[in-house]
């Protein structure tokens, strides 16, 4: 029996459509949809356990995977099976998770899994832009307690025109690449990269995407109504006690307010807050603590959050004593590590990043192999967040999703400033050594300085800042916080990170936690962020104002050279023999690629010290050397033969030619050694290809004066009797011998 299928179509306004379909696949999931645009199809399923987990948070897992079969490809590697998620898949998971998580009730603790799978790929459709739509649509068909439908959309701008969900080719021409997540009435998440745009332009892009998202949310509502909206499941809510909440609030608020106003350091403040919490717990009997222990901690946290927020809104003061616009003290240093190609330290307050730069050839490019995209990155950044940076001890189990996300944000912030003609593959690694807010932005600042220290000719330096927002809907008060602390990130209404040059924004990441945030507040926050960003940029340029003109002595120098396609094989040699010997002799790394357009060979030479690189360049010059007919060249004798001398062009070592004995001198030469010897250097004239020998011809005598009375030998008469032309088969009697064979052949047959 064919199942009944329900479908809604979203018009993107330019001839493209997105369809949402349910009823055909994965019907045992609590909700499932297929989202399709062109030939791209995503299957999303959602399941949530009916029993609450014994935790105090939402155990939500968002999983996004791209199947290689979707693009008609095999997975790379030895095991032909999809394994751990790629960085690209992890980034998509994070984008969806950040929008979904806040819309579940705070007391909903059932294990929930959202699985999104790319089942069919289309080169003209970027699937990550539809992942949020698929996740929300599947949840709308379930019985989960979920506040409202959301969606995500990518916005680009080509020739001044905004585009929703641009193709990859359009994105390459775009000066904006932003993902926006929102409900019908509120923007909730923004992340992307830009080509030095203004705060107003960024806001216009967000508005444009939000209008498209409203249409996508309406389509989800229609689909759920047609399918049959399920009743929201009942679940066991968290235990509450209003009297206890008021009691804890009254006991904690004033004490917390006083500690918050003292402007102490992170560890002092944390210790003081912990002491207040323990005092409050101690005021309850053992029976009460056993019965209300979890609630006491919960209500204390609420009181602490309220006190800190009120301090900022009422007095404009923050936990560390700063005003809302103040930036923490900054100190920077470059060239800290003696053996790296570039290094820097960026310290802002209690956040510290140590960045290193490594320079390499195209062989070190980061290879991206996903079903939806294949390519390479010649600039990439890795971010590491060890537990000691926050004074913790915990096991390290590979790279976390957070580390992937923070590293990607910093990479997007910086990559537009790496010049297109940079010959190197550049890898930046940021080690977070201390953390109390905005370590990803510290990474941007440290990465900028480390690349400038390494001699990477950045177009402009880039800085970054993390901003926060505290607002009160009832009073209308709000405060935008520059350079937020970790605690302020937790208690605020918005966390947004902005990076850029002195001329505009290069990347951003925002998580907005309040409904209906006005665009006026957003623009004001972005402008305050610009002031803070420029202040930090000044600290960076005070430390290093321009990129070093040369790489360090111990760092490799890169030189690129183009050679005609026909010379690639000669440079590599049989089985790679020539290039391998050259690398060994010159202590360089040589990489040869082919230009897909011109089909020229692109030779990359990487080496420490000028001598080895010069030797490789000389070899290439020698390989490309083409003598011109009629020109005179200096040569050196490298081999003596009975019938001449083998000479090589001194300006192109390795290019050899035979100087025949007859071209040594005008006089008759009996022995080659009578005229030249091994190692002799002299000039010869180049005559091109000899029509008789079909070989290159050079002559020494042609540039020497003729001796007095010289008489040229008469040319050989090839028509003489017995000459070469008369030594054919007829004269040798071969045809007669052939006739003689016939009787023998016939006799043999008999």
């Amino acid at each position: 029996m064919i199942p009944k299928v329900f479908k809604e179509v979203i018009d993107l306004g330019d001839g493209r459509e997105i369809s949402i379909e349910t009823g055909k696949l994965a019907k045992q999931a609590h909700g499932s949809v297929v989202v399709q645009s062109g030939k791209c199809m995503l299957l999303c399923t959602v399941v949530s356990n009916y029993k609450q987990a014994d935790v105090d948070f939402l155990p939500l897992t968002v999983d996004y995977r791209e199947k290689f079969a979707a693009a008609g490809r095999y997975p790379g590697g030895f095991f032909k099976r999809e394994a751990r998620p790629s960085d690209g898949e992890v980034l998509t998971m994070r984008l969806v998770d950040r929008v979904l998580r806040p819309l579940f009730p705070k007391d909903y603790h059932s294990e929930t899994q959202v699985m999104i799978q790319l089942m069919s790929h289309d080169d003209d459709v970027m699937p990550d832009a539809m992942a949020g739509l698929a996740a929300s649509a599947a949840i709308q068909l379930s019985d989960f307690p979920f506040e409202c439908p959301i969606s995500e959309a990518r916005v680009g701008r080509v020739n001044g025109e905004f585009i929703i969900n641009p193709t990859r080719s359009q994105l390459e021409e775009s000066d904006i690449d932003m993902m926006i997540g929102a409900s019908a009435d509120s923007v909730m998440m923004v992340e992307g990269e830009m080509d030095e745009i203004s705060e107003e332009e960024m806001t216009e892009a967000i508005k444009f995407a939000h209008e498209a998202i409203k249409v996508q949310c309406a389509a989800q509502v229609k689909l759920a109504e047609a399918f049959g909206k399920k009743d929201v499941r009942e679940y066991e809510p968290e235990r509450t006690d209003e009297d206890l909440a008021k009691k804890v609030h009254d006991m904690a608020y004033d004490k917390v307010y006083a500690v918050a106003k003292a402007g102490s350091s992170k560890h002092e403040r944390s210790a003081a807050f912990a002491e207040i919490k323990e005092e409050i717990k101690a005021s309850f009997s053992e029976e009460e603590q056993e019965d209300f222990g979890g609630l006491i901690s919960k209500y204390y946290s609420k009181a602490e959050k309220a006190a800190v927020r009120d301090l900022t809104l009422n007095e404009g003061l923050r936990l560390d004593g700063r005003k809302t616009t103040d930036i923490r003290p900054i100190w920077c240093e470059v060239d800290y590590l003696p053996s790296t190609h570039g290094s820097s330290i960026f310290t802002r307050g209690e956040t510290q990043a140590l960045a290193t730069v490594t320079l390499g050839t195209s062989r070190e490019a980061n290879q991206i192999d996903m079903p939806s995209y294949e390519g390479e990155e010649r600039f990439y950044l890795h971010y590491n967040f060890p537990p000691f940076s926050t004074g913790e001890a915990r096991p390290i189990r590979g790279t976390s999703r957070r580390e992937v996300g923070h590293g990607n944000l910093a990479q997007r912030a910086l990559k537009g400033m790496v010049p297109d003609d940079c010959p190197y593959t550049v890898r930046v690694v940021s080690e977070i050594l201390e953390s109390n807010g905005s370590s990803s932005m510290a990474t941007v600042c440290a990465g900028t300085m480390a690349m400038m220290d390494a001699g990477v000719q950045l177009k402009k330096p880039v800085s970054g800042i993390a901003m926060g927002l505290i607002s009160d809907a009832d009073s209308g008060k709000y405060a935008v916080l520059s350079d937020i602390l970790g605690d302020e990130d937790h208690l605020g209404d918005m966390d947004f990170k902005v990076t850029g040059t002195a001329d505009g924004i290069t990347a951003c990441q925002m998580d907005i936690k309040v409904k209906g945030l006005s665009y006026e507040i957003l623009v004001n926050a972005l402008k305050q962020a610009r002031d803070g960003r420029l202040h930090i940029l000044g600290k960076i340029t005070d430390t290093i104002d321009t990129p070093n003109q040369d790489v360090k002595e111990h760092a490799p120098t890169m030189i690129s050279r183009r050679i005609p396609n026909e010379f690639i094989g000669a440079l590599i040699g049989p089985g790679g023999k020539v290039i391998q010997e050259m690398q060994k002799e010159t202590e360089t790394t040589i990489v040869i690629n082919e230009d897909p357009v011109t089909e020229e060979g692109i030779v990359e030479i990487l080496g420490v010290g000028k001598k080895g690189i010069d030797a490789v360049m000389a070899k290439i010059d020698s390989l490309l050397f083409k003598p011109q007919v009629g020109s005179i060249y200096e040569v050196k004798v490298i081999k003596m033969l009975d019938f001449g001398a083998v000479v090589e062009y001194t300006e192109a070592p390795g290019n050899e030619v035979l100087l025949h004995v007859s071209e040594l001198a005008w006089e008759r030469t009996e022995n080659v050694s009578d005229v030249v010897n091994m190692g002799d250097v002299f000039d010869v004239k180049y005559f091109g290809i000899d029509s008789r020998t079909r070989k290159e011809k050079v002559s020494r005598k042609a540039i020497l004066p003729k001796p007095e009375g010289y008489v040229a030998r008469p040319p050989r008469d090839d028509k003489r009797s017995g000459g070469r032309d008369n030594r054919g088969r007829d004269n040798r009697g071969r045809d007669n011998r052939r006739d003689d064979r016939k009787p023998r052949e016939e006799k043999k047959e008999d």
Side-chain angles (χ1 to χ4, degrees), residues 526-596:
L526 286 169
K527 287 183 176 178
Q528 185 172 321
R530 184 177 187 274
D531 294 339
R533 205 177 69 235
L534 293 178
H535 169 78
I536 296 169
L537 193 61
K539 297 294 184 180
I540 290 173
T541 54
D542 286 346
T543 304
I544 179 168
D545 57 352
T546 57
N548 291 332
Q549 291 303 304
D550 299 307
V551 299
K552 299 183 185 301
E553 289 185 2
H554 60 273
T557 299
M558 166 81 83
I559 293 181
S560 294
R561 179 78 178 271
R562 286 178 174 263
I563 63 174
N565 179 278
E566 62 266 25
F567 291 100
I568 295 176
L571 185 58
I572 295 174
K577 182 180 179 181
V578 173
I579 194 170
Q580 289 172 10
E581 288 182 353
M582 201 184 314
Q583 289 181 113
K584 185 177 180 180
E585 292 172 0
T586 61
E587 296 183 347
T588 60
T589 299
I590 306 170
V591 178
I592 304 175
N593 297 308
E594 187 173 308
D595 190 310

Side-chain angles (χ1 to χ4, degrees), residues 461-733:
V462 181
S463 65
I465 189 170
M467 307 291 291
L469 174 72
I470 296 175
S471 61
D472 184 357
D474 295 333
S475 65
K477 292 182 180 179
Y478 74 90
V480 177
L481 312 180
S482 297
D483 181 24
I484 58 174
L485 303 170
D487 290 340
E488 291 172 331
D489 181 3
H490 172 69
L491 60 84
D493 297 325
M494 179 167 65
D495 166 29
F496 64 104
K497 304 176 179 70
V498 189
T499 73
T501 67
D503 298 318
I505 299 171
T506 60
C508 73
Q509 183 184 92
M510 295 188 187
D511 289 299
I512 302 167
K513 307 168 190 176
V514 291
K515 292 183 181 179
L517 179 71
S518 71
Y519 284 104
E520 179 185 355
I521 294 177
L522 180 59
V523 170
N524 289 339
L526 286 169
K527 287 183 176 178
Q528 185 172 321
R530 184 177 187 274
D531 294 339
R533 205 177 69 235
L534 293 178
H535 169 78
I536 296 169
L537 193 61
K539 297 294 184 180
I540 290 173
T541 54
D542 286 346
T543 304
I544 179 168
D545 57 352
T546 57
N548 291 332
Q549 291 303 304
D550 299 307
V551 299
K552 299 183 185 301
E553 289 185 2
H554 60 273
T557 299
M558 166 81 83
I559 293 181
S560 294
R561 179 78 178 271
R562 286 178 174 263
I563 63 174
N565 179 278
E566 62 266 25
F567 291 100
I568 295 176
L571 185 58
I572 295 174
K577 182 180 179 181
V578 173
I579 194 170
Q580 289 172 10
E581 288 182 353
M582 201 184 314
Q583 289 181 113
K584 185 177 180 180
E585 292 172 0
T586 61
E587 296 183 347
T588 60
T589 299
I590 306 170
V591 178
I592 304 175
N593 297 308
E594 187 173 308
D595 190 310
V597 179
T598 64
E599 295 186 349
E600 290 179 298
I602 303 173
V603 185
E604 297 176 0
I605 310 160
L606 189 80
V608 177
K610 191 171 181 292
K611 184 178 179 181
I613 293 176
D614 287 347
V616 177
M617 293 294 286
K619 177 65 177 178
I620 295 174
D621 288 337
S622 174
L623 185 70
L624 300 180
F625 177 75
K626 289 183 178 180
Q628 301 297 311
V629 174
S631 296
I632 295 174
Y633 297 96
E634 184 180 77
V635 296
K636 179 180 180 180
V637 178
I638 60 171
K639 187 183 293 185
M640 301 287 286
L641 302 172
D642 291 340
F643 50 86
V646 178
V647 297
E648 71 172 5
Y649 299 96
T650 56
E651 64 181 275
N655 265 290
E656 304 172 0
V657 65
L658 174 66
L659 175 59
H660 194 267
V661 64
S662 62
E663 298 297 332
L664 286 172
W666 291 105
E667 298 85 357
R668 179 179 178 83
T669 304
E670 295 294 340
N671 298 306
V672 175
S673 58
D674 292 342
V675 181
V676 297
N677 290 291
M678 281 288 292
D680 285 356
V681 177
F682 48 85
D683 291 340
V684 296
K685 187 174 184 179
Y686 182 74
F687 286 93
I689 303 297
D690 190 303
S691 60
R692 186 171 63 85
T693 63
R694 305 296 181 189
K695 295 180 179 179
E696 290 184 298
K697 178 181 177 181
V698 294
S699 174
R700 176 176 177 271
K701 74 178 184 181
I703 57 176
L704 298 176
K706 289 183 182 180
E708 283 189 35
Y710 173 78
V711 178
R713 294 173 58 189
R716 177 183 289 141
D717 183 5
D718 288 335
K719 295 181 180 180
R720 291 176 299 171
S721 175
R724 291 183 183 273
D725 290 343
N726 295 325
R727 291 187 295 173
R729 290 183 175 178
D730 291 344
N731 293 337
R732 296 178 187 176

